[in-house]
Amino acid sequence: MLQKTNPNETLKFECETGNYHTFCPISCVAWLYQKIEDSFFLVIGTKTCGYFLQNALGVMIFAEPRYAMAELEEADISAQLNDYKELKRLCLQIKQDRNPSVLVWIGTCTTEIIKMDLEGMAPRLEAEISLPIVVARANGLDYAFTQGEDTVLAAMAARCPERTVLNSLDSQKKENFSSSSLPALAQKGVQKESEYVDHPPLVLFGSLPSTVCQQLTLELKRQGIKVSGWLPAQRYSELPVLGEGVYVCGVNPFLSRTAMTLMRRRKCHLIGAPFPIGHDGTRAWIEKICSVFNVIPQGLEERESKISNGLTEYLNLIRGKSVFFMGDNILEVSLARFLIRCGMIVTEIGIPYMDRRFQAAELALLEKTCLDMNVPMPRIVEKPDNALQILRIRELLPDLVITGMAHCNPLEARGINTKWSVEFTFAQIHGFVNAREVLELVTRPLRRNQAIDSFLNIKEKKNISLFVKEG
Amino acid sequence: MKLAYWMYAGPAHIGTLRVLSSFKNVHAIMHAPLGDDYFNVMRSMLERERDFTPVTASIVDRHVLARGSQEKVVENITRKDKEECPDLIVLTPTCTSSILQEDLQNFVNRAAFESSSDVLLADVNHYRVNELQAADRTLEQIVRFYLEKNKKEMKKTNSSDFNEISKTTKPSANILGMFTLGFHNQHDCRELKRLLNDLGIEVNEVIPEGGSVKNLKNLPKAWFNLVPYREVGLMTALYLEKEFGMPYIDITPMGLIETAACIRQISSVLKKVSSSLDSEKFVFSEKSFCFENYIDQQTRFVSGAAWFSRSIDCQNLTGKKAVVFADATHAACMTKILVREMGIRVVCAGTYCKQDADWFREQVWGFCDEVLITDDHTQVGDMIARLEPAALFGTQMERHVGKRLDIPCGVISAPVHIQNFPLGYRPFLGYEGTNQIADLVYNSFTLGMEDHMLEIFSGHDTKEVITKSLSTEAGFTWSSDGLAELNRIPGFVRGKVKRNTEKFARENGIFEINVEVMYAAKEAAGA
C-alpha cells in the first residue's frame, strides 16, 4: 500500500511565500491573562487589533477580562499627543480599577512602525506608578500566533528572581530550592527532599493550564526529579528563581526566543528534548530530562504501552489515513510526529517558523518515528503559501486537513475533512493522560462523518460529497 | 489614546472587505501584516460560507518596513489576476499601510497595466472612518468607477444613446446596500424582492450581495433606487441621483407604519418617473401605482402584527419600559415600532452611529424619554442599570448586559454572533418582518399570565438571591429573615428591590439588612 521508506532518506525542508492565514500573535493575551491570575494585559494598538481580539476571543470578552486596548488615535500617530503621558493616564486608571501585580504591554505593528519606545518608557513609568511593567512586542510584522506567548515569556524571564551567588556556590547537597522566604515552607521542603534525587534546580517554561502543569510535575516526580518552578507561574509574584546552574526545559515548540533568553541572559542550561505531546513525546521528554540528571527512568515503557493500549478504538479509526497540516501554530511537527506514531501518514507539515536548533530533538524523533513506522518522510514547508497548499490538497485528497477556520468550511464543502488547528492550542494536549485528548480532536471529523454516513444510503452519499455549485 | 475593551463598529477595512466579498468575482488584496486576515475567519464562521473568501493579504513584514513593498504588492495583484481571473481586484489599505504612507496608488496603476482585471485602490482612511462608513464609501467608489468607465466607452464608440439612458419597460428598482455579514440581510433582501414583486415592480440590480461588477452599468436603467439601511448605500444613491437623476427611497420598511410609508413613497416616485417617460414604450398605467389597497390588505390580514397589537396579549405590554440601542437604522425603527405599534414606553433610545447622530435624534424625537449617542459600551451598560427597563432591544453587547442584570434582550442589530445568522427565514423588513419583530418583542417580555401568577403567589422559585448589580458594591449583610423576605419577591423585580433596599441602607448608614429595613426602604420609596 505504501511506498517503503528509504533508510537514507531525511526530512525535506522547504520555504514558500509566507502568504498564509494565521492568528495575530496578540491573541496570546487570551490565554496568558487567564494563566497569570494577577496580571493585566494592555494591548497598545489600533481598532484592527481590538476587533481581532473581540472576534477571536468571542464570549470571553464579557467576563470582565483583565485585558484592554490602548487604542491609538490619529493624534497619537502624528505625535500630537505625548505617548508617555497618555500611557501613564491609562495605566493609572487600570491600577485604580483592577489593582494588578503586573502590567504587560503588548506592542503591535503600529507601535513598531511609529517607533514608540515602549522598552524605554516602561522603566520610567514603572518607577513612577510603582507597578511592574513588562514589555512584549507581539506583532504581526515579526511573529505568528503562538509566538506571541514566546515574546511575553522571554520578557518575563528577565523578571524572574536571581539565584543568589551564595546558593550557586554552595554544594548541591545543601541546596534548598524553595528556601526563598518562609521557614515553614522550607521545613516542608526538607521533609520532602527524600523523595527526590539530588539534582540541580529544574525550571519548566511554557504556559499550560494548571492541571496539566500538575500532571507533568507529578510525572517527573515519579522519576525523582523535582520541578522548582514554572515560567509563567500562576501568579506574577511566584515567578521561578533563575540563574547560573539552573536547568530549563520547554514544553511547547514555539518557545525558541524564551529558550534563547534563558540561556544567554539568565545563564541557564537548556535541555533540548522533544515536546511532551502524545505518549511517545512525553516519554522521550522525560527520558531526556532523566538522562541529563543521570537518572535511570523507571517504568516509562509500561506506562507508554498502557496509555497506547487505551487508545485502541481511536487508533483503529486513523490507522493508514493521511493528514495534511497547513500550518499556523508551530505545534505541527510535534503533532505530526505523534500522529505518525499512531499509524497515520503525514503528507505535508506546514509551519509558520521552524527553529531547527530549538526543535532539533523533536525533528530527530520525527525522523526516527518515520523510519520506525516505515512511512515516507513528510515535507516540512516553512512560511507556506495557502493558495499553493490548496492546489496540493486538491491533488492529494488527504483524509484530514488540519487548518485555520478560514479554510475549514470551504474545504468541508468540497468533501475534505478538516480539523480546526486552533483547538490544539487551547485543548489540553500535554503529557501521557492527554494523548487521548489529541486523538479525540483528530478523530472528531472522522467520527462525525461515520455517524452521519451510516444513516445515508449509497445513492445519497454520492450526491452529498460536494456542496459547492459548479462553475 | 483610549482605553477600550469592546467596540460596536469595526475598523474601516472590514467594511471595505464586506462590500468587496459580497460582489461576485471580485478579489480584495489587503496590504497588511500577518494575522490581519481574520475577516476570512469571520465570514467563514458566521456566514458559514462554503467558498473561500476572496480576500488575500500582501504581507507587510520587516522587509517591507525596511525597503518598502516594492514589487510585492504588484506581484500579488498580478498573481491573483492569473490564478482566479477576477473582474476586479481592489487593493485595501489597513491601519498599518495608512501610517506607512507608501504610494499604493502607484502600485495599483502599475498592476492595472499588467493584469486583465480592473484594479482599484479602496479610498478609505483607517483613522477617519469606521466599518460602516467605509462600506458606504467603497460601494459608491466601485459604482462610480464602472459607470464612468462605461461612459468613456460609450463616448469612444460614439454611441448615440449615450445621453439617453433607456429605462426598463416595466417599473423597476435597484436595491442598494445588501451585503455580507449584515444583520439578517439575506432574509431582508428576499423579503424586499417579494414586496416589490407584489407591487408589480421588477428588481433591476441588487448590490453588492451577489452582484457582478459587469452589470453595474445597468444600474441607471431602474426607475428608482431603494436604500433599506441608513448605514450603507446612501452615498451610492446620492451619486446616482446626481449623475442620472434617479430618485431614491431611504425609508426603511421596518414595522407596519414605516413599511406603508415606504410603499407610499414608492408610489409617488413611480408616478413622477412615469410622467417623464414616453408612455407608449412602457408598460404601465397610472392606476397601477396606487398601492393603498395592497397596504390595507397586507396590514390587516397578511401581517399578524397589526392584529397582535390590538389583541389582549399586547395589552399587558402597555406602558412597560424598554431600552433600545443599536445601529441608527434598527434603533430608530425599533423605537417607533415599540411606541407607535405596541404602546411600550421607550425610556431611552440610542445608537453607536455617531456619524448619524443628528438624523437619529430627529427620527426618535418625541418617541423616547432620552437619547444616548455613544460607542462606549460601559456607558450603555450603566444607562441600562440605572433605568432598569423590563426589556432591552440591542446588539449582542446589550444581550450580555441584560444577562447580568437579568433583563431579557432581543437582538436587533449588528454586532452579532453566529446565532444571528439563522438558517430559517427571519427578515426584519417588510410584512413578514413585522411578524418576526412582534414575536421577538413578545417573547422578550415575561409572558403576561406568568407575570400575574408570579405576583399573586410571590414567585415559585426558592433559589438563593444572586447579586446582579453591575458594580460590585458589597459591604451589606443580609439577615436570614431579610433574605427570606427577599426570596418571596418575584424574580423579575427582585434585583430591583434588592438594589433599592441597599441604596436605602447605604443612605441611612445601616449595615445589616433585615425585614424591617426592607419595609422601611419600601416606605421611603413610596411604593
Side-chain angles (χ1 to χ4, degrees):
Chain A
M1 180 173 73
L2 305 171
Q3 80 185 77
K4 294 279 185 242
T5 327
N6 175 0
N8 299 323
E9 199 187 341
T10 50
L11 289 167
K12 297 171 278 279
F13 292 90
E14 282 166 47
C15 187
E16 283 183 343
T17 60
N19 277 322
Y20 63 102
H21 164 78
T22 183
F23 273 4
C24 173
I26 59 171
S27 52
C28 68
V29 305
W31 63 89
L32 286 176
Y33 91 80
Q34 294 186 48
K35 172 71 194 177
I36 309 169
E37 285 168 359
D38 51 353
S39 63
F40 192 98
F41 284 76
L42 184 67
V43 182
I44 304 161
T46 58
K47 251 187 173 6
T48 310
C49 313
Y51 202 61
F52 164 68
L53 283 178
Q54 167 176 331
N55 283 292
L57 309 186
V59 194
M60 275 192 259
I61 187 78
F62 301 108
E64 289 229 349
R66 289 187 319 281
Y67 72 78
M69 290 291 309
E71 193 183 314
L72 299 170
E73 288 162 303
E74 199 164 18
D76 297 300
I77 303 301
S78 53
Q80 285 165 14
L81 292 172
N82 182 310
D83 297 337
Y84 184 78
K85 278 188 194 155
E86 289 294 299
L87 280 170
K88 187 180 164 189
R89 185 170 57 82
L90 300 191
C91 291
L92 278 173
Q93 196 182 330
I94 292 165
K95 197 189 170 195
Q96 195 190 347
D97 293 351
R98 305 294 182 88
N99 194 28
S101 321
V102 61
L103 253 174
V104 184
W105 284 355
I106 303 285
T108 60
C109 304
T110 313
T111 57
E112 288 296 312
I113 297 169
I114 64 173
K115 299 195 165 45
M116 196 184 272
D117 183 20
L118 297 177
E119 276 96 346
M121 282 188 278
R124 273 168 65 206
L125 194 57
E126 183 171 314
E128 205 171 333
I129 67 172
S130 52
L131 182 65
I133 297 173
V134 173
V135 180
R137 301 183 181 192
N139 60 65
L141 293 170
D142 301 310
Y143 305 111
F145 195 16
T146 48
Q147 283 180 297
E149 176 181 321
D150 194 21
T151 62
V152 174
L153 295 189
M156 285 262 176
R159 300 303 182 111
C160 293
E162 182 68 35
R163 196 160 173 252
T164 57
V165 186
L166 190 81
N167 252 355
S168 54
L169 286 175
D170 227 346
S171 75
Q172 307 234 313
K173 256 190 181 171
K174 286 181 192 165
E175 219 154 58
N176 190 347
F177 307 125
S178 57
S179 69
S180 51
S181 57
L182 291 173
L185 267 177
Q187 278 284 301
K188 246 189 186 170
V190 170
Q191 275 171 11
K192 278 190 178 173
E193 199 88 333
S194 56
E195 297 170 40
Y196 296 106
V197 186
D198 251 357
H199 66 83
L202 170 69
V203 169
L204 301 179
F205 59 95
S207 162
L208 295 177
S210 53
T211 49
V212 182
C213 288
Q214 203 111 51
Q215 283 162 2
L216 288 180
T217 307
L218 281 176
E219 220 53 82
L220 288 172
K221 193 182 166 190
R222 285 182 190 188
Q223 307 300 335
I225 292 171
K226 184 184 165 96
V227 177
S228 311
W230 281 81
L231 174 70
Q234 204 69 25
R235 302 180 67 81
Y236 177 73
S237 45
E238 295 163 3
L239 282 179
V241 177
L242 294 177
E244 223 169 321
V246 173
Y247 281 73
V248 291
C249 187
V251 296
N252 267 323
F254 45 76
L255 299 170
S256 48
R257 264 179 85 87
T258 311
M260 198 69 78
T261 311
L262 290 172
M263 283 194 310
R264 293 198 178 154
R265 309 288 295 270
R266 305 305 307 260
K267 311 280 182 247
C268 301
H269 299 288
L270 177 72
I271 302 175
F275 300 98
I277 292 167
H279 50 70
D280 55 338
T282 310
R283 181 181 163 188
W285 183 72
I286 296 173
E287 278 174 347
K288 183 66 201 270
I289 295 173
C290 285
S291 78
V292 169
F293 294 139
N294 288 319
V295 173
I296 295 156
Q298 305 291 323
L300 272 186
E301 208 163 322
E302 296 89 78
R303 195 156 159 71
E304 194 199 348
S305 59
K306 202 179 145 202
I307 295 282
S308 161
N309 289 339
L311 300 174
T312 318
E313 46 171 332
Y314 293 115
L315 298 183
N316 289 340
L317 269 173
I318 55 175
R319 196 166 294 128
K321 298 239 161 72
S322 58
V323 194
F324 188 107
F325 285 88
M326 283 182 81
D328 72 346
N329 58 13
I330 320 194
L331 292 170
E332 292 86 4
V333 173
S334 309
L335 288 172
R337 178 258 303 148
F338 174 52
L339 294 182
I340 291 172
R341 175 60 66 187
C342 291
M344 297 188 91
I345 300 152
V346 176
T347 47
E348 174 165 336
I349 305 177
I351 189 166
Y353 168 70
M354 180 79 240
D355 185 331
R356 284 208 235 173
R357 272 198 295 173
F358 183 59
Q359 295 224 44
E362 183 63 82
L363 288 169
L365 184 60
L366 172 66
E367 231 169 37
K368 183 177 169 286
T369 308
C370 287
L371 291 174
D372 283 355
M373 302 303 289
N374 199 18
V375 291
M377 301 266 173
R379 46 191 259 164
I380 296 179
V381 182
E382 203 179 350
K383 293 174 125 205
D385 186 300
N386 282 165
L388 298 176
Q389 282 184 316
I390 285 164
L391 291 180
R392 293 199 287 272
I393 288 171
R394 285 194 164 154
E395 203 173 298
L396 293 166
L397 295 176
D399 295 307
L400 182 68
V401 175
I402 296 181
T403 179
M405 196 66 218
H407 304 299
C408 281
N409 272 339
L411 284 173
E412 289 280 354
R414 284 157 183 79
I416 289 174
N417 292 330
T418 59
K419 184 74 219 142
W420 188 19
S421 55
V422 174
E423 286 191 61
F424 292 100
T425 325
F426 294 121
Q428 308 191 343
I429 59 170
H430 292 75
F432 282 125
V433 194
N434 294 318
R436 169 174 284 270
E437 187 65 26
V438 182
L439 294 188
E440 176 75 23
L441 287 176
V442 167
T443 55
R444 193 171 294 156
L446 306 171
R447 283 180 288 131
R448 192 265 317 263
N449 288 357
Q450 244 178 21
I452 296 175
D453 289 350
S454 63
F455 294 103
L456 294 176
N457 60 42
I458 298 152
K459 216 178 184 182
E460 281 166 326
K461 262 183 210 166
K462 265 184 201 158
N463 295 337
I464 211 160
S465 63
L466 283 184
F467 282 95
V468 275
K469 284 179 200 160
E470 294 299 322
Chain B
M1 265 179 231
K2 201 169 83 179
L3 197 61
Y5 298 88
W6 205 80
M7 60 188 86
Y8 283 100
H13 71 270
I14 295 287
T16 300
L17 296 180
R18 281 174 62 187
V19 167
L20 297 177
S21 55
S22 299
F23 277 114
K24 269 190 214 144
N25 217 19
V26 170
H27 200 99
I29 292 185
M30 295 167 71
H31 188 241
L34 198 63
D36 269 1
D37 58 350
Y38 60 88
F39 172 75
N40 300 29
V41 178
M42 288 171 61
R43 200 164 116 96
S44 170
M45 279 187 74
L46 297 176
E47 290 261 35
R48 301 182 193 89
E49 192 47 62
R50 298 170 196 213
D51 279 316
F52 292 101
T53 302
V55 175
T56 46
S58 173
I59 306 278
V60 176
D61 55 16
R62 280 284 153 189
H63 297 294
V64 172
L65 279 199
R67 304 175 300 147
S69 294
Q70 297 190 350
E71 297 302 314
K72 206 171 181 183
V73 174
V74 178
E75 268 166 25
N76 277 314
I77 294 175
T78 45
R79 177 184 159 190
K80 221 15 100 179
D81 174 55
K82 288 204 187 76
E83 274 174 7
E84 305 204 348
C85 313
D87 299 327
L88 169 68
I89 296 176
V90 180
L91 182 61
T92 310
T94 58
C95 60
T96 311
S97 54
S98 70
I99 39 178
L100 281 178
Q101 298 193 325
E102 282 193 88
D103 190 358
L104 295 180
Q105 187 60 55
N106 176 34
F107 296 148
V108 163
N109 294 344
R110 273 164 54 200
F113 204 67
E114 289 172 40
S115 52
S116 51
S117 14
D118 297 312
V119 188
L120 277 180
L121 173 67
D123 171 31
V124 286
N125 180 332
H126 176 90
Y127 294 96
R128 303 271 166 89
V129 293
N130 68 18
E131 176 183 355
L132 297 169
Q133 292 163 294
D136 201 11
R137 219 178 179 70
T138 304
L139 185 60
E140 193 248 16
Q141 190 190 357
I142 291 173
V143 167
R144 182 189 290 263
F145 173 79
Y146 277 100
L147 288 178
E148 275 170 10
K149 189 179 169 195
N150 188 44
K151 208 192 235 173
K152 265 184 222 148
E153 272 163 19
M154 284 173 108
K155 255 187 195 156
K156 238 185 253 168
T157 52
N158 281 329
S159 186
S160 57
D161 54 9
F162 161 60
N163 279 324
E164 177 197 328
I165 285 113
S166 50
K167 294 281 172 204
T168 52
T169 46
K170 273 187 180 172
S172 65
N174 298 318
I175 302 177
L176 309 180
M178 295 292 176
F179 68 149
T180 190
L181 290 172
F183 183 77
H184 292 240
N185 271 13
Q186 291 190 341
H187 310 288
D188 282 349
C189 186
R190 199 167 127 198
E191 185 63 22
L192 284 185
K193 281 181 183 166
R194 195 170 82 172
L195 179 71
L196 291 174
N197 185 44
D198 283 354
L199 300 176
I201 300 166
E202 282 178 347
V203 176
N204 185 47
E205 292 287 331
V206 179
I207 59 165
E209 186 63 59
S212 161
V213 286
K214 285 183 182 156
N215 293 342
L216 288 179
K217 62 174 187 288
N218 297 332
L219 280 174
K221 286 186 182 160
W223 289 28
F224 69 97
N225 291 314
L226 182 57
V227 186
Y229 309 113
R230 179 84 195 156
E231 287 75 21
V232 177
L234 217 49
M235 272 181 84
T236 313
L238 285 169
Y239 165 75
L240 291 171
E241 186 187 42
K242 192 170 151 256
E243 283 298 301
F244 302 95
M246 289 179 78
Y248 69 89
I249 289 159
D250 63 348
I251 299 173
T252 306
M254 182 170 151
L256 285 170
I257 299 175
E258 292 293 294
T259 306
C262 180
I263 294 173
R264 288 192 184 106
Q265 185 78 30
I266 292 175
S267 158
S268 78
V269 162
L270 287 179
K271 278 175 193 158
K272 212 191 274 168
V273 174
S274 62
S275 65
S276 68
L277 293 172
D278 176 12
S279 58
E280 277 174 26
K281 261 163 66 184
F282 297 91
V283 195
F284 64 84
S285 64
E286 280 296 322
K287 235 184 177 178
S288 62
F289 298 149
C290 191
F291 302 133
E292 286 307 322
N293 270 340
Y294 176 78
I295 295 173
D296 184 61
Q297 281 290 314
Q298 291 284 323
T299 308
R300 284 196 295 156
F301 304 111
V302 176
S303 160
W307 163 236
F308 167 75
S309 43
R310 300 276 161 194
S311 71
I312 297 296
D313 268 339
C314 200
Q315 260 184 27
N316 286 333
L317 301 181
T318 313
K320 288 223 168 172
K321 289 202 291 183
V323 160
V324 180
F325 192 87
D327 67 22
T329 305
H330 288 89
C333 289
M334 199 64 195
T335 305
K336 289 186 205 167
I337 293 171
L338 291 175
V339 175
R340 290 191 297 192
E341 298 178 20
M342 294 180 180
I344 291 163
R345 182 172 155 216
V346 175
V347 280
C348 181
T351 180
Y352 56 84
C353 296
K354 281 164 131 179
Q355 73 272 13
D356 232 2
D358 292 338
W359 178 84
F360 184 76
R361 279 203 192 86
E362 188 196 311
Q363 289 294 306
V364 299
W365 191 82
F367 294 123
C368 58
D369 299 353
E370 48 181 297
V371 174
L372 179 67
I373 313 277
T374 181
D375 53 8
D376 177 357
H377 75 275
T378 52
Q379 222 177 322
V380 180
D382 289 346
M383 176 267 290
I384 293 168
R386 172 171 58 85
L387 294 171
E388 292 178 342
L392 292 171
F393 297 94
T395 70
Q396 279 294 337
M397 194 66 206
E398 281 66 50
R399 194 174 70 85
H400 284 271
V401 173
K403 255 189 190 168
R404 289 171 70 186
L405 297 170
D406 205 7
I407 300 171
C409 178
V411 176
I412 55 161
S413 136
V416 284
H417 281 177
I418 191 154
Q419 70 213 49
N420 302 111
F421 292 89
L423 301 175
Y425 186 51
R426 302 250 190 291
F428 269 65
L429 304 187
Y431 286 106
E432 178 54 30
T434 63
N435 292 338
Q436 296 291 337
I437 292 169
D439 281 343
L440 180 79
V441 171
Y442 187 61
N443 294 338
S444 295
F445 286 97
T446 319
L447 301 182
M449 276 312 272
E450 201 183 338
D451 219 87
H452 280 298
M453 293 298 182
L454 283 169
E455 233 164 300
I456 291 163
F457 296 108
S458 330
H460 48 58
D461 54 340
T462 49
K463 276 181 284 178
E464 287 290 303
V465 184
I466 312 153
T467 312
K468 277 153 194 154
S469 49
L470 263 185
S471 48
T472 47
E473 34 181 358
F476 293 105
T477 38
W478 283 74
S479 68
S480 54
D481 58 340
L483 272 182
E485 177 63 23
L486 192 61
N487 276 327
R488 254 171 247 136
I489 292 161
F492 63 98
V493 286
R494 195 182 292 149
K496 192 172 172 182
V497 170
K498 184 163 188 276
R499 276 191 292 279
N500 283 342
T501 312
E502 287 184 345
K503 195 173 150 204
F504 172 80
R506 196 180 309 117
E507 278 163 5
N508 291 283
I510 302 166
F511 295 104
E512 195 190 354
I513 298 171
N514 54 22
V515 183
E516 279 156 45
V517 179
M518 284 185 74
Y519 290 155
K522 196 176 177 189
E523 268 175 45

